[in-house]
Amino acid sequence: MSIGVTLQLETDVLIIGGGMAAGWAAIAAAQGGARVIIADKGYMGTSGVTAMGGPNHWWIGPDKARREEAIARQSEKAQGLGDPEWMARILDLTWRTLPSLAPHYPFGSDGAGGTYYSGVRGSEYMRAMRLAALEAGVTVLDHHPALELLRDDEGRVAGARGHALRARQDWEIRSHATILATGGNAFRSGLIGSHTNTGDGQLMAAEAGVALSGMEFGPSWSISPAWASTRTLPYTGAVYYDADGRELDIPPSRAAGHAHHRALGHAMLAGPVMADLSHAPEALRPILRHIQPFTPAPFERRGIDLFRDRFPVKLFGEGTIRGTGGLDLADDECRTSAPGLFAIGDAATRELVAGASSGGGAVNSAWALSSGRIAGTAAARESLARKGASAPVHGLGRIAIAPHQADRAIDAAAIHRAVDHEIHGYAHVFTRDEASYAASGERLAAIWGELSAHGRARGAALVSLRETAALVAGARWTIAAARGRKESRGLHQRADHPEATGPTHRQLVSGLDTIRINTQQAEFA
Amino acid sequence: MIAQILADKCNNCAQCVNVCPTFVLDDGPHVPVVARLDACQTCYMCELYCDQDAIYVAPDQFAVEPGADPLPHLGVIRRDHGWDRPGEAGHLDEYRKLGPLLGAGVEIAARRYQAQRRSV
């Protein structure tokens, strides 16, 4: 990596990732007087799951009683693992901040003479975030994936190295504060917009010694046509049939949750499952394309009337995007345990606001916005206080960069299939028990061992191989954390421990070659 | 996956090369080149950002599909978004209905399931 570095930059705040959390962090840091660089693996505006989505934000006006009621409801969903103080902060920050995007985002009507703020369409939202960041003076580097963090001789994270895909050159950016906003890990499930969500930030932070929390709360799933993941708006009223036209007994999603997905997954093991949307709300049909213009395309381009014709469906795993797991935070300004390194959005744990329930949806969006604002403000302050400081640095990346044995070709496609099987295999993921977790963990450990010993690449090939490593690491943390929590709670459901038995504890998972589990009593239970 | 960049419509502005989140395209002499199709996630962003309506993304995200006629579909996603309209044009006025319509679908499924349970 160190040879052939041709692009060298220096900044106050480096943000790795270009989704909504990155955007809000960048704007906040720039407003705090810092020079800010965003280095995104894709293109800031289209990359990540938000651009294809439609994030609704947790949205309660500044009425004390209504906010307390919302926090109480969310705390109940969080099942003893949420932090009401964090919830109050993100409610307040989201309410005050989101409307500031109005110069760049065409907020629609609320139907009552006012403006509808809480739900935004992803493609316009991310276009607006890019424009707002550029207007604030942020430097945006597209197609600049980061590969490893840098640490200086004082022990602080001091920037990152990566590869510029279009220019085909390595880069090194020195910074006084670094924010990981690389999103969650979708384990290459094919979930809409998630191809870049391979958990790169979690891998880089783990190499800096940072632990993760909440990794056991998943998986979550979204249903879509078998040939294309879409948003799920039209499917909530679906009726499901087998290939012979017999209606399947699928408990509805709201009441059943886990049982809904288990029934669908097991039916899909037996053969194609067909969805019938003819019961979908009448009001939806004429306006679907105006709400979600991407959703009709996969049907129209196949000549299918989605509200009349039956079509095969598949469950797309949502990984840690709708799970809650991510990098553990050491303080209320989104610092990690590694000095100089912050984590925000889906790269960070959502356990603080989602607890054991899904981090997906409105609470998660409010978290992304708020954690971005909080970390951006703190990183600007911290970096400006350190202006001028400069110590020698070294790269922290090891996997695929510095293998400890001879180089050997790595079959990345086979590894991706193996990760897919362990995380998404319908035959075992809905009925997990100790033996099943142990077997998954052993298979993934063997893959990690091979990668760790022999994997090495450079340039764009290194970007891909690091993604592969991050997928495996994320899968191992997920399995280890789920195995460690010997109960069922929220999204974490085990066949051998079907009840929430407590005590209510948080679980940290850490390490790469050897994975460790630590538990701590939740302070908010 | 991205299937066609129509040479008679493309002005080679390379906006699609810029905006592709998974870096599928390279610059080309006349039109951009699909260089890494295996990285295409079928997100339609290249279509949305193409102001010449010169790109057709085929709907299957797992396999290459032969032979569809792209013409009826060119620019539809872009027009449905109102992508080029000014901010005050009201094209997101229906957006507030997303949440209630999601909920209505969930209710329909729950009621129907309940009714069937009772009739068994």
Side-chain angles (χ1 to χ4, degrees):
Chain A
M1 266 304 292
S2 58
I3 305 161
V5 168
T6 48
L7 175 65
Q8 303 233 20
L9 296 170
E10 193 256 326
T11 189
D12 298 320
V13 177
L14 169 64
I15 299 171
I16 302 174
M20 58 186 286
W24 288 112
I27 294 163
Q31 287 170 347
R35 295 168 302 156
V36 183
I37 293 178
I38 280 180
D40 187 28
K41 180 158 74 171
Y43 172 86
M44 185 196 184
T46 64
S47 62
V49 287
T50 300
M52 291 293 296
N56 190 28
H57 295 71
W58 202 17
W59 193 252
I60 311 282
D63 175 280
K64 195 161 177 286
R66 287 192 58 227
R67 285 202 175 160
E68 278 171 5
E69 186 202 354
I71 290 166
R73 255 199 326 270
Q74 179 64 13
S75 297
E76 198 172 313
K77 278 176 70 183
Q79 300 195 29
L81 292 170
D83 178 349
E85 279 182 29
W86 259 110
M87 293 177 196
R89 291 177 80 197
I90 73 170
L91 271 176
D92 181 53
L93 264 174
T94 302
W95 178 267
R96 289 192 285 124
T97 308
L98 187 54
S100 70
L101 211 54
H104 303 291
Y105 180 88
F107 286 105
S109 158
D110 69 357
T115 304
Y116 178 66
Y117 287 113
S118 70
V120 290
R121 194 157 68 204
S123 39
E124 283 90 347
Y125 183 36
M126 285 313 306
R127 176 172 66 173
M129 291 304 300
R130 181 185 181 93
L131 289 171
L134 290 172
E135 195 177 88
V138 173
T139 299
V140 177
L141 302 176
D142 301 305
H143 298 129
H144 275 58
L147 289 163
E148 61 174 336
L149 296 172
L150 303 174
R151 179 178 274 160
D152 68 19
D153 286 359
E154 297 171 29
R156 284 180 59 87
V157 170
R161 288 189 188 127
H163 184 73
L165 294 169
R166 251 181 120 171
R168 296 189 167 88
Q169 65 175 357
D170 290 343
W171 56 260
E172 179 176 302
I173 301 174
R174 297 281 300 270
S175 60
H176 298 298
T178 303
I179 300 176
L180 288 171
T182 46
N185 192 336
F187 301 109
R188 282 281 158 86
S189 68
L191 178 73
I192 189 165
S194 74
H195 192 80
T196 47
N197 292 93
T198 43
D200 310 346
Q202 285 95 332
L203 175 63
M204 287 187 275
E207 287 171 329
V210 179
L212 300 94
S213 74
M215 290 298 284
E216 64 272 34
F217 297 116
S220 165
W221 305 86
S222 79
I223 194 143
S224 277
W227 65 93
S229 172
T230 73
R231 306 303 299 176
T232 57
L233 169 58
Y235 315 125
T236 52
V239 181
Y240 298 100
Y241 295 87
D242 69 13
D244 299 323
R246 282 186 298 259
E247 185 176 342
L248 295 163
D249 182 15
I250 309 291
S253 60
R254 188 187 53 188
H258 178 72
H260 173 73
H261 292 125
R262 184 178 57 205
L264 281 169
H266 286 170
M268 287 169 191
L269 276 177
V273 170
M274 311 293 287
D276 179 335
L277 306 192
S278 60
H279 300 270
E282 284 296 334
L284 174 62
R285 299 165 200 219
I287 60 173
L288 174 62
R289 65 186 322 113
H290 302 299
I291 298 177
Q292 291 184 343
F294 292 123
T295 300
F299 297 96
E300 289 173 353
R301 292 171 193 214
R302 284 208 154 178
I304 293 171
D305 180 337
L306 85 164
F307 293 116
R308 192 195 64 207
D309 306 328
R310 290 181 191 174
F311 56 89
V313 288
K314 170 177 151 64
L315 290 170
F316 288 78
E318 300 177 314
T320 69
I321 292 166
R322 260 180 211 276
T324 58
L327 295 166
D328 191 51
L329 298 178
D331 70 10
D332 60 8
E333 292 189 312
C334 300
R335 287 180 184 80
T336 69
S337 62
L341 185 66
F342 297 72
I344 58 174
D346 288 356
T349 184
R350 271 71 33 80
E351 203 175 27
L352 296 157
V353 290
S357 72
S358 166
V363 171
N364 208 2
S365 304
W367 166 260
L369 180 158
S370 305
S371 61
R373 289 270 340 157
I374 290 166
T377 304
R381 188 173 3 93
E382 188 170 313
S383 68
L384 294 174
R386 293 189 55 84
K387 223 174 172 95
S390 175
V393 296
H394 62 277
L396 293 174
R398 195 188 55 72
I399 185 90
I401 293 173
H404 50 76
Q405 292 181 35
D407 300 6
R408 198 186 282 170
I410 300 292
D411 185 349
I415 294 177
H416 294 177
R417 280 195 300 277
V419 168
D420 183 53
H421 172 74
E422 301 304 345
I423 298 292
H424 303 129
Y426 296 155
H428 59 259
V429 296
F430 299 110
T431 50
R432 282 289 199 181
D433 60 18
E434 192 66 20
S436 153
Y437 287 127
S440 287
E442 274 174 38
R443 289 189 290 263
L444 288 164
I447 291 168
W448 180 265
E450 173 80 9
L451 248 177
S452 171
H454 303 295
R456 187 200 297 271
R458 305 177 72 86
L462 177 57
V463 175
S464 299
L465 195 54
R466 290 279 293 179
E467 290 176 333
T468 298
L471 292 170
V472 178
R476 293 184 71 210
W477 293 320
T478 297
I479 301 290
R483 188 181 179 188
R485 185 176 283 280
K486 297 187 194 322
E487 63 165 349
S488 292
R489 186 182 293 269
L491 275 183
H492 172 61
Q493 294 291 322
R494 295 178 59 141
D496 56 350
H497 295 284
E499 306 292 331
T501 50
T504 313
H505 65 272
R506 284 240 167 88
Q507 198 177 244
L508 295 182
V509 59
S510 60
L512 287 163
D513 290 331
T514 305
I515 293 183
R516 293 173 295 276
I517 298 279
N518 287 299
T519 57
Q520 33 178 243
Q521 186 61 42
E523 295 150 41
F524 327 103
Chain B
M1 294 190 280
I2 183 167
Q4 295 186 52
I5 302 176
L6 284 79
D8 59 333
K9 287 178 170 284
C10 175
N11 63 2
N12 209 13
C13 72
Q15 177 72 333
C16 53
V17 184
N18 280 331
V19 304
C20 174
T22 57
F23 194 54
V24 169
L25 304 166
D26 278 341
D27 294 304
H30 307 294
V31 299
V33 176
V34 178
R36 288 163 293 273
L37 188 60
D38 59 335
C40 179
Q41 61 174 351
T42 316
C43 68
Y44 301 96
M45 287 293 168
C46 52
E47 269 195 45
L48 181 64
Y49 276 80
C50 176
D51 61 18
Q52 302 298 305
D53 295 337
I55 299 179
Y56 175 69
V57 174
D60 195 319
Q61 74 180 64
F62 301 108
V64 176
E65 282 168 295
D69 175 13
L71 289 178
H73 307 291
L74 295 178
V76 170
I77 282 175
R78 184 178 180 76
R79 284 194 292 280
D80 285 350
H81 271 89
W83 192 243
D84 299 322
R85 278 190 266 168
E88 69 277 12
H91 49 285
L92 280 162
D93 283 351
E94 310 271 29
Y95 204 74
R96 67 178 188 277
K97 298 176 184 168
L98 194 164
L101 285 168
L102 268 173
V106 170
E107 286 295 327
I108 288 167
R111 274 200 308 273
R112 188 172 180 281
Y113 193 79
Q114 277 292 326
Q116 282 187 333
R117 292 268 120 164
R118 274 198 297 273
S119 69
V120 169

